[in-house]
Amino acid sequence: MLCAALAACGGGGDDACATDSSLRVHWSYAGGQALAFPIGKSTTYAPALSGLPPACDARKTFNLVQGPSFLSIDSATGVISGEPSPTFVCTSTSVGTTGGCSTVAEFKLSIPGYSDSRYTAFINVTPASP
């Protein structure tokens, strides 16, 4: 779980979605910071967010800063999804259907008028299910 204090940058005004000078946001995914993605299976993780006033919740955006090519994040909802293929290359060789590997992904939560918050997750590519 990430608990971030987002500081207002610029003194609020029209850019800040709330009058608070900072927000305390709790951002997490089931599985914590180790997310499993089985080879050949579409997998999704929905975020759990708390601490956002309704006006901020409606204006938040998510982005994938860096991570494996099969991974994506919905910019409005924060849902992480992906389906690694057997040809996915982790380090220097493809994982095939029986291999696996671990890598890292970094995501960003942006709320107008506040500094960005980042979430780092370990992405575990696991063998395909029989």
Side-chain angles (χ1 to χ4, degrees), residues 34-39 68 70 84-104 122-128:
L35 307 178
F37 288 87
I39 298 165
F70 67 83
S85 73
T87 59
F88 172 67
V89 174
C90 190
T91 63
S92 61
T93 58
S94 62
V95 293
T97 56
T98 58
C101 68
S102 292
T103 187
V104 175
F122 297 101
I123 305 301
N124 296 318
V125 177
T126 58

Side-chain angles (χ1 to χ4, degrees), residues 34-94:
L35 307 178
F37 288 87
I39 298 165
K41 181 181 178 191
S42 179
T43 305
T44 61
Y45 290 92
L49 284 173
S50 63
L52 288 177
C56 292
D57 187 53
R59 296 180 64 198
K60 71 186 180 308
T61 58
F62 296 90
N63 291 293
L64 173 64
V65 177
Q66 65 176 6
S69 58
F70 67 83
L71 205 59
S72 65
I73 188 167
D74 183 285
S75 64
T77 65
V79 171
I80 297 171
S81 60
E83 181 177 346
S85 73
T87 59
F88 172 67
V89 174
C90 190
T91 63
S92 61
T93 58
S94 62

Side-chain angles (χ1 to χ4, degrees), residues 1-4 26-37 45-48 66 68 71 80 101-108 117-125:
M1 173 195 295
L2 173 72
C3 178
H26 298 273
W27 177 14
S28 64
Y29 291 89
Q33 289 184 275
L35 307 178
F37 288 87
Y45 290 92
Q66 65 176 6
L71 205 59
I80 297 171
C101 68
S102 292
T103 187
V104 175
E106 184 178 11
F107 305 95
K108 179 174 69 173
S117 176
R118 294 187 182 241
Y119 186 91
T120 300
F122 297 101
I123 305 301
N124 296 318
V125 177

